[in-house]
Amino acid sequence: MPNQREKFGSRLGFILAAAGSAVGIGNLVGFPVNAAKSGGAAFLLVYAFFIVVICLPVMMAEMSLGRHTQRNPLGAYNSVSGGNPLWKIGGWLALITPFMIAVFYQVLTVWLLAYFVGAVSGNLAQMADPAFFGTFINGPSVFGYLAVLTVVIGFVLNSGVQNGIERLAKALMPTLFVMLIILTIFVLTLPNALVGVKYYLIPDLSKINPEVVSNALGQAFFSLSLGMGILITYGSYVSRKESIAGGAKMVALVDTSVAFFAGLLILPAIFVFNPATDTSELSSSSVSLVFTFLPKIFLSLQSLIGYVGASAFAATFFLLVFFAALTSQVSILQVPLSAFQDELKFSRVKSVLSLGACAILLVLACTVSFGMVTYFTEFTSYGGATKSFFDIVIDVFYDTILPLNGLIICLFAIFHWKKANLNAELAIGDDKFEGSFTQKYVNGALGTVIPLVLLLVFVNTVCIKFFGFSLTDYM
Ligand code: PHE
């Protein structure tokens, strides 16, 4: 049948699939690292504020646009804008961004796969050594894992929306959540954990500065999978019997809870394993923090369950995080994939292969950006620092373009697609939407406060990242 798109099987299926996209490395690695780096509770506060006040309405706008147009982002922008070239830019950005995000995400997912294999093969003790991570990411084995992962993802993508994403997400998300809570409780019983809990939960408002705000917004967008056309694409697979507002709230709640617990696990763990930690040192935290502290947490479980038990627990945990990353990665790639299928009329197999061919060189350039190849490690310099190829992808697409895409989608939904159409779409499958607080807020804020905040943060992020100053330096 023409125009009969695949649909998520049920409301739960949609929520879990969207949550499967949302919950990933962003929650389990990105959030704790950013929270450690940006003042703990101060970051948490700004982050939570952004989720509720900015991100939720943007999420609803994306899903509505997708369900209304039944297209991928490029097609969605095109069909609503009647081909207006200015809006086409929005569509292109919503296509290129997920592609580039998928490139760096692939590198991190490879590391998770390797950590799973490492734990299974009894290497937990070595992995807990602070020097292990740096040696591993620069060793030849990453290429083996990369090859395996690339093939696995190709297969998942090839099996279609229902089979691939929905089934994986349904089974694994709850297990991951339970394990996260068990681990968090364990860490909280260890000596000195309370110092970390305080750092994480008692806000010091003086720590909120433009950089914290910019990091929190980028992280919130990334974590909810916003500004990437994912939710436009997912929206296009949602049945007209579902409430978009209800689904969006559930997804945000699940995503934020996972991030919150990951923070409550990692931040106290920093103080447990290094009681002498001075909070000012944390400002230079990076991804290696999580990859070093998680094995340490698992290793310390051996006093309770022995080395084999600890390794089994670690292996299960890394496997689940790996799956969380995999569902996210599959969702990211779904966007360019749908575009290949819808716009170029490629078959699914041909789309998957074309996508892989486009991505592989970029992924390799990112993989060798950590010291293996000097050219990519010291690719360029701006904002007063030397940047690797990997850093550039993160600075440009994660920190800068995501909020910009959010800004474009707000403007597009309210001023081009028009409020009335957005409202009509949001009311489909949701009797309670008309007259609700959500409706009033979305209508009021999506064309005013939200784009204004996004614009300010976008401009300021560009200044901080690329020019080494902040607008507030001049206030
Ligand atoms: N939200 C996912 C995470 O937190 C990553 C992701 C980003 C997925 C963008 C889809 C789109 O890890």
Side-chain angles (χ1 to χ4, degrees), residues 111-128 132 145 294-295 298-299 307-319:
W111 297 346
L112 288 169
L113 175 61
Y115 269 53
F116 160 67
V117 175
V120 168
S121 31
N123 289 339
L124 189 60
Q126 288 96 302
M127 285 154 61
F132 178 85
Y145 292 111
L294 278 178
F298 294 124
L299 194 62
Y307 188 73
V308 174
S311 300
F313 199 95
T316 315
F317 188 82
F318 281 121
L319 185 67

Side-chain angles (χ1 to χ4, degrees), residues 21-27 101 105 222-225 228 230 255 328 331-332:
S21 161
V23 175
I25 300 174
N27 308 62
I101 297 250
Y105 211 82
F222 182 78
S223 189
L224 288 183
S225 305
M228 272 182 252
I230 303 263
D255 187 69
S328 299
S331 79
I332 306 173

Side-chain angles (χ1 to χ4, degrees), residues 344-404:
L344 300 176
K345 310 281 177 245
F346 280 8
S347 69
R348 186 172 270 274
V349 182
K350 192 168 165 197
S351 305
V352 171
L353 292 175
S354 318
L355 200 61
C358 295
I360 198 69
L361 285 180
L362 291 166
V363 173
L364 285 172
C366 283
T367 305
V368 299
S369 274
F370 303 93
M372 221 186 289
V373 176
T374 314
Y375 177 74
F376 290 109
T377 309
E378 293 163 14
F379 198 69
T380 184
S381 68
Y382 52 76
T386 305
K387 300 281 184 172
S388 69
F389 188 79
F390 183 84
D391 293 332
I392 300 172
V393 176
I394 299 228
D395 283 351
V396 174
F397 289 94
Y398 175 123
D399 280 314
T400 313
I401 304 241
L402 284 188
L404 175 67

Side-chain angles (χ1 to χ4, degrees), residues 24 78 127 206 209 238 257 294 316 328 355 365 404 440 443-444 449:
N78 268 346
M127 285 154 61
S206 68
N209 60 33
V238 175
S257 311
L294 278 178
T316 315
S328 299
L355 200 61
L404 175 67
K440 290 187 192 113
N443 275 286
V449 189

